[in-house]
Amino acid sequence: MEAIFRHGLFNASSLNISIRPISLSVALLVVCNIAECNQRSGVKSGTANTVTKTEDDSPVIVGSQKAPQDVLPESMLKSRTIGMNIFGNALFENRNGKFQDISDKTGTETFWPWGHSVADLNADGFQDIFVTASMNYPFRYHHNSLLLNDRGERFQASEFTLGVEPRRDLRTATPWFNLDCAKADSSHKLCEGCSGPVTVWAALGTRSVAIFDLDGDGDLDIVSNDFNSLPMVLVSDLSTKNGNLNYLKLRLEGTRSNRDGLGARVQLFAGGQTFTQVQDGQSGYLSQSSLPLYFGLGETKVVDRIEIDWPGGLVQIVRGPLDTNRELAVVEQESSP
């Protein structure tokens, strides 16, 4: 694999971000738990107007004097109850109404997660998972995770391979707040050993991402929602690097059902394979992607037919052959043919 994502510059006026629900094509439940750091801060001394580094990316300080070794109490960085720290997320498979944890088996355990968004980021026909991470102040930085679906067998951590990490200019921290250690904030615990103005830095952290074709070139891009910081714009170059990119965008328009066809189950038949998605109106934590369902088709260039089970009970069939690499709009029929 090679990098397909590049970090674009965020320009709010140039982004036209719409809403798209997307879901897993199999019955899976992903649970993400906020993590707590259980490592004690290791803040090292720093000279005037320089950023003091930490061994575990805990908050750093810019100040007028040297910072003490341990400016953060241990209680801020670990659970008060031994053994109660919660680190990772879990993936549960629905087996006839009973859920089984398959996180280790499928390689989906990640740490410090906030939420997940699902999409076919390499257009091979299998849904991939983007897991946002990191807790900001007063915790260390943790990278986001991009888990590529290895043909339904397991997921491969690919965030560094595909260019999602590291961040632009290798940034992992940002200024968080200022203290006046000479006057108003002199009693603050972070002012111990310091005087004058102090800037406290904290780790960057992503809360959620929206996944959609931002530049209209046929592959899926990623825009993040970072806490107390500018979004990241991850522009995919898959369409230029893969001369055999095949996909179909499907936009549903309900008539008897709701306008956007939320709740519709879509099966796309192509090349002897069945691709299934649900227009379920959800994505990652505090985020929503654009409306057309995106079907990556791998090597397949023609769609044989599409079956749509609308939430109102109507089953509609769109017969092929249907050309790919375009957006297809389907309006719900008034009645079955």
Side-chain angles (χ1 to χ4, degrees):
M1 293 185 293
E2 62 176 328
I4 63 172
F5 288 100
R6 54 185 170 84
H7 288 251
L9 293 174
F10 178 74
N11 182 353
S13 63
S14 66
L15 294 182
N16 182 17
I17 301 174
S18 54
I19 297 176
R20 178 171 78 96
I22 192 164
S23 68
L24 281 165
S25 58
V26 292
L28 296 173
L29 172 66
V30 180
V31 179
C32 292
N33 292 321
I34 297 175
E36 293 185 41
C37 176
N38 69 344
Q39 297 179 343
R40 182 167 180 166
S41 169
V43 178
K44 299 179 179 178
S45 298
T47 56
N49 300 319
T50 61
V51 178
T52 62
K53 301 296 184 180
T54 66
E55 294 176 357
D56 60 358
D57 289 329
S58 297
V60 293
I61 295 175
V62 179
S64 58
Q65 293 186 354
K66 291 186 177 181
Q69 284 288 335
D70 294 302
V71 298
L72 290 179
E74 187 174 0
S75 61
M76 295 178 66
L77 298 177
K78 67 182 297 184
S79 171
R80 295 179 183 271
T81 305
I82 297 176
M84 293 300 291
N85 291 50
I86 300 175
F87 279 94
N89 51 277
L91 177 64
F92 293 90
E93 183 178 20
N94 187 344
R95 296 184 176 179
N96 298 320
K98 294 183 178 181
F99 288 91
Q100 180 171 347
D101 188 342
I102 58 172
S103 308
D104 292 338
K105 176 183 176 181
T106 57
T108 49
E109 178 78 7
T110 66
F111 300 99
W112 292 61
W114 273 97
H116 68 284
S117 293
V118 178
D120 189 357
L121 293 169
N122 59 352
D124 65 348
F126 293 87
Q127 301 282 67
D128 311 304
I129 306 175
F130 192 106
V131 185
T132 59
S134 199
M135 279 289 292
N136 306 107
Y137 179 85
F139 302 100
R140 63 180 175 85
Y141 176 76
H142 195 283
H143 61 78
N144 295 310
S145 297
L146 196 167
L147 306 177
L148 279 188
N149 190 330
D150 187 6
R151 304 191 65 80
E153 297 296 326
R154 60 180 289 110
F155 290 86
Q156 302 291 340
S158 307
E159 58 275 0
F160 286 93
T161 304
L162 297 182
V164 171
E165 296 280 351
R167 291 171 177 254
R168 175 184 288 275
D169 300 326
L170 304 180
R171 295 176 66 239
T172 59
T174 186
W176 209 249
F177 58 87
N178 297 315
L179 296 174
D180 182 358
C181 292
K183 297 180 180 179
D185 302 311
S186 59
S187 61
H188 196 285
K189 54 195 166 191
L190 295 181
C191 282
E192 295 178 7
C194 300
S195 64
V198 168
T199 298
V200 179
W201 286 53
L204 292 167
T206 302
R207 292 296 185 266
S208 58
V209 294
I211 301 177
F212 59 106
D213 189 0
L214 173 64
D215 50 5
D217 63 352
D219 53 32
L220 294 177
D221 310 298
I222 302 169
V223 177
S224 77
N225 173 21
D226 279 36
F227 186 62
N228 203 30
S229 182
L230 289 175
M232 289 189 296
V233 180
L234 302 171
V235 181
S236 175
D237 292 331
L238 180 66
S239 61
T240 58
K241 293 185 176 182
N242 181 1
N244 193 32
L245 177 67
N246 299 294
Y247 66 91
L248 184 67
K249 299 177 186 178
L250 187 64
R251 183 178 294 275
L252 302 181
E253 181 180 331
T255 53
R256 299 171 63 229
S257 304
N258 62 82
R259 182 181 60 184
D260 293 322
L262 297 177
R265 182 173 182 267
V266 179
Q267 288 185 297
L268 187 150
F269 300 87
Q273 301 180 79
T274 303
F275 305 85
T276 304
Q277 290 191 43
V278 176
Q279 185 90 317
D280 58 8
Q282 62 179 336
S283 184
Y285 171 69
L286 294 180
S287 67
Q288 208 59 53
S289 301
S290 60
L291 277 173
L293 290 173
Y294 180 93
F295 289 88
L297 299 174
E299 303 295 322
T300 303
K301 297 183 180 298
V302 177
V303 173
D304 300 318
R305 75 179 188 278
I306 300 171
E307 293 186 8
I308 305 170
D309 188 351
W310 294 92
L314 175 71
V315 177
Q316 182 174 347
I317 299 177
V318 181
R319 302 191 182 278
L322 301 169
D323 293 333
T324 57
N325 295 353
R326 65 187 176 113
E327 180 175 310
L328 175 65
V330 178
V331 179
E332 182 182 15
Q333 295 174 339
E334 292 296 331
S335 61
S336 300

